[in-house]
Amino acid sequence: LNRYDRTDETFLSILSGPDPLTTPYSDKVWSLTKGRDGKLWVGYKEGGFSVFHPSTGLFKHYTPQRWPDITTHSVTAIFEAEDGVVWVGTDGNGLLRLDVEEELVESYARPAFAPHNLASDRISDIHIDRAGNFWVSFWDLGVAKSSSGSEFVNVDEIFNTPELATTIDEAHSIFEDNKGRIFVATPNGVALFHPDKDSFQLFTVDNSGLAFPRVLSITQDRTDRYWIGSYQGVNVGFET
């Protein structure tokens, strides 16, 4: 882990060590997410995840050694929901559900999770939007959405659009902007979903200002600028 100090513009490296309470579980960090109350959730390449409490400066680790449903698959995404449940996405072991109060970890991997139609266990990102829709992106099968606890349905089936299926057959990350719109980073550009209109747009190097097609990450800063990271650089711009 590396922490940036804005006051003196320096980085502080926080490495794993002999004291599990004050150091990360591993130095191979694969995902990083800010949770409720300022908590920081950390996922690791070789399985397991941790939560860091800034108020105490202490870590709590969730490891394969203690919880059987946590495997050595990379933890690619973590999302702490409003009800306190923590959802963990892995590359090969599907979804994990953590009940923090009960310290219970449940596996939502296929085929046991088949009734909910989770299409793949290779999860790249997870997100619950402001309307309560549960979005899951996959390294190998695009994006799925679940509304009000219903089964997951791939978005290309929702819109019945071959072009969409081709564009997001692989998805890297999901981002919700300050208007509640859902952006998906794909190898072919950006897919933008408009929940209020029940429609979508595709942004590629051919129809937008994207410099590179293989998009990895998307975020929005305090001035409403969009930052789009790719394998070959970064695009920055305001909505037009």
Side-chain angles (χ1 to χ4, degrees):
L1 283 173
N2 292 282
R3 186 180 67 190
Y4 179 67
D5 189 331
R6 293 177 182 270
T7 58
D8 57 8
E9 297 185 337
T10 59
F11 282 94
L12 172 66
S13 294
I14 306 172
L15 303 175
S16 60
D19 184 357
L21 292 178
T22 59
T23 61
Y25 168 64
S26 168
D27 293 330
K28 297 180 180 179
V29 175
W30 217 236
S31 56
L32 197 63
T33 305
K34 184 179 179 181
R36 301 189 311 158
D37 304 322
K39 296 191 294 291
L40 189 66
W41 292 92
V42 185
Y44 303 107
K45 180 181 179 182
E46 296 173 349
F49 53 96
S50 303
V51 58
F52 175 71
H53 298 270
S55 59
T56 62
L58 301 179
F59 285 88
K60 179 176 179 60
H61 306 302
Y62 298 87
T63 67
Q65 289 78 15
R66 180 174 175 185
W67 283 271
D69 282 336
I70 300 177
T71 66
T72 56
H73 294 85
S74 298
V75 171
T76 51
I78 304 175
F79 189 91
E80 185 175 7
E82 288 297 320
D83 60 4
V85 171
V86 178
W87 292 93
V88 180
T90 72
D91 187 2
N93 191 38
L95 276 174
L96 300 176
R97 182 186 186 276
L98 167 65
D99 184 321
V100 177
E101 295 297 325
E102 299 294 332
E103 292 198 339
L104 177 64
V105 178
E106 297 177 278
S107 173
Y108 280 56
R110 298 184 325 129
F113 198 47
H116 296 272
N117 278 6
L118 196 64
S120 170
D121 287 336
R122 298 200 61 207
I123 294 172
S124 58
D125 204 1
I126 49 181
H127 180 72
I128 300 176
D129 66 25
R130 62 186 65 182
N133 299 307
F134 199 140
W135 299 79
V136 179
S137 62
F138 307 102
W139 291 114
D140 54 354
L141 282 172
V143 180
K145 173 186 172 184
S146 170
S147 300
S148 303
S150 63
E151 67 180 23
F152 283 92
V153 180
N154 273 41
V155 293
D156 57 289
E157 297 178 28
I158 296 174
F159 293 102
N160 194 26
T161 306
E163 181 189 11
L164 185 61
T166 302
T167 301
I168 60 172
D169 58 346
E170 173 188 336
H172 299 148
S173 62
I174 304 169
F175 172 72
E176 182 179 8
D177 73 358
N178 57 19
K179 295 182 178 180
R181 301 177 301 179
I182 302 296
F183 292 74
V184 179
T186 83
N188 304 299
V190 176
L192 169 59
F193 296 90
H194 300 270
D196 56 334
K197 302 176 183 178
D198 200 27
S199 63
F200 70 91
Q201 289 176 271
L202 299 176
F203 296 95
T204 68
V205 293
D206 297 322
N207 67 6
S208 69
L210 282 177
F212 310 104
R214 197 168 183 82
V215 176
L216 295 175
S217 58
I218 305 167
T219 193
Q220 187 178 27
D221 65 23
R222 296 175 182 176
T223 64
D224 289 340
R225 288 182 301 178
Y226 292 90
W227 294 74
I228 301 175
S230 75
Y231 270 109
Q232 296 172 282
V234 178
N235 280 76
V236 184
F238 290 94
E239 181 184 359
T240 58

